[in-house]
Amino acid sequence: MPEIPEIETLRKHLARSVEGKKIAEVEVSRPKTLNTSPELFQQALIAQEICQVQRRAKILVLSLTNTFSFIVHFMLEGFVRFYYKNEIIAKRPSILLGFDNGERLAFFKMNLGYIHLVPTADLAQTPELAALGPEPLSPAFTYDIFNNLLQQHKGMIKPLLIDQKFIAGIGNVYSNEVLFCSQILPTRKSSTLSEEEKQSLYRCIRRILNDAINYGGVYEEKFSSDDTITGGYTPHLQVAYRTGEPCYVCGTPIQTKRVGGRNAFFCPVCQH
Ligand SMILES: [Zn+2]
């Protein structure tokens, strides 16, 4: 599932490619992806420009020049691709937006994911966004806030990091990387972390996410035919999906273990 770095990479792509573009047609092949009827969705979008693309955690928010926005969550498999005029779309998208200049934006495999139409004025109160914890890269997310949140929880640290109500936007890939960076084992109870470890964890959350954004995340699906950024962070992963391969720091084989129902990847020597 895409996490903050992948969705932020997409947000930048979308801002460059579709902001200011006027939607001329909307095709809905999978009505269940929407929270309205296909007809209402089409009425809200057609003849409108996309005026702003924002990100909240793993969710994209595309605002229109009328009073509506639509929020996009890809969940496990969904992805979006941009097509220049005359480029061929090989497979059938769940939802397709066509712009008046012939370019198109296609949302694929939105079986678990969703696209919800929301009045822009109600975005802050919409349940999909209102239930989320703090944004870890926001200037408002200070160490004191992080420390206060940690003190309200007692469980293992890795499941906590991917709890979207605790901090929003971290998932299974980056929780592993953040814990390796801060030399903390995924099974450690958050209540046992020292002050130094908590500060290291806070710094690593921000450093790893920022680095991954700068390299384009680990997403496999390119945004467009001329996309050279997406997926550039994959060679920089230290532990995720490297089971049995040597730790880049100490040479010990990386281990995998089920923690909180998800695979945790870690170095048993570097992490404590
Ligand atoms: Zn190691």
Side-chain angles (χ1 to χ4, degrees):
M1 185 190 289
E3 304 174 33
I4 283 176
E6 289 72 39
I7 299 299
E8 181 62 20
T9 301
L10 270 179
R11 186 200 62 76
K12 290 184 193 169
H13 278 305
L14 285 165
R16 201 191 62 230
S17 301
V18 306
E19 269 184 13
K21 302 269 170 77
K22 186 184 275 188
I23 299 168
E25 59 175 332
V26 177
E27 284 177 30
V28 178
S29 300
R30 194 176 184 286
K32 278 186 177 175
T33 299
L34 305 175
N35 64 337
T36 67
S37 69
E39 294 73 25
L40 265 176
F41 188 70
Q42 285 160 336
Q43 278 171 24
L45 268 66
I46 287 175
Q48 300 302 316
E49 286 177 17
I50 294 175
C51 60
Q52 192 177 32
V53 184
Q54 297 170 279
R55 178 188 63 76
R56 173 76 171 100
K58 306 175 184 177
I59 295 175
L60 286 167
V61 182
L62 290 88
S63 297
L64 303 167
T65 32
N66 59 11
T67 56
F68 284 100
S69 294
F70 57 99
I71 61 179
V72 182
H73 197 317
F74 295 104
M75 302 300 272
L76 281 179
E77 290 190 303
F79 65 97
V80 64
R81 187 170 165 131
F82 178 79
Y83 293 87
Y84 290 103
K85 192 176 178 180
N86 299 328
E87 283 184 334
I88 290 167
I89 303 179
K91 47 197 165 189
R92 190 180 174 89
S94 306
I95 308 285
L96 179 71
L97 309 185
F99 298 100
D100 64 352
N101 64 355
E103 294 171 343
R104 286 143 298 154
L105 191 64
F107 296 88
F108 292 98
K109 290 193 176 179
M110 298 295 284
N111 302 342
L112 297 171
Y114 60 76
I115 298 179
H116 286 175
L117 190 67
V118 178
T120 301
D122 296 346
L123 275 174
Q125 291 85 42
T126 196
E128 297 90 327
L129 300 175
L132 294 168
E135 192 74 30
L137 295 180
S138 156
F141 184 69
T142 61
Y143 174 70
D144 286 343
I145 285 178
F146 175 64
N147 195 19
N148 277 336
L149 282 172
L150 265 181
Q151 283 168 2
Q152 295 165 29
H153 294 83
K154 291 192 171 65
M156 288 188 289
I157 189 64
K158 183 166 183 296
L160 188 56
L161 286 177
I162 62 179
D163 176 351
Q164 299 303 295
K165 293 191 183 78
F166 175 65
I167 300 175
I170 298 176
N172 205 40
V173 172
Y174 295 101
S175 56
N176 289 300
E177 297 299 307
V178 163
L179 288 170
F180 178 78
C181 166
S182 47
Q183 303 182 327
I184 296 168
L185 282 169
T187 46
R188 278 283 296 282
K189 294 273 194 326
S190 57
S191 54
T192 67
L193 298 178
S194 68
E195 179 65 23
E196 196 182 335
E197 285 174 322
K198 287 190 282 189
Q199 291 196 8
S200 172
L201 185 56
Y202 172 77
R203 281 195 304 272
C204 284
I205 287 171
R206 292 166 68 106
R207 190 208 301 168
I208 294 287
L209 293 176
N210 273 319
D211 281 357
I213 288 170
N214 289 336
Y215 281 105
V218 298
Y219 221 15
E220 289 169 7
E221 299 290 347
K222 296 285 182 194
F223 176 73
S224 58
S225 55
D226 57 353
D227 172 11
T228 56
I229 298 168
T230 298
Y233 192 66
T234 304
H236 299 273
L237 292 174
Q238 300 292 303
V239 286
Y241 308 115
R242 295 195 62 243
T243 311
E245 293 175 41
C247 170
Y248 292 128
V249 175
C250 73
T252 305
I254 299 301
Q255 292 186 6
T256 312
K257 184 178 186 176
R258 295 294 278 182
V259 176
R262 308 290 298 273
N263 280 332
F265 301 86
F266 59 98
C267 173
V269 173
C270 291
Q271 293 172 252
H272 308 281

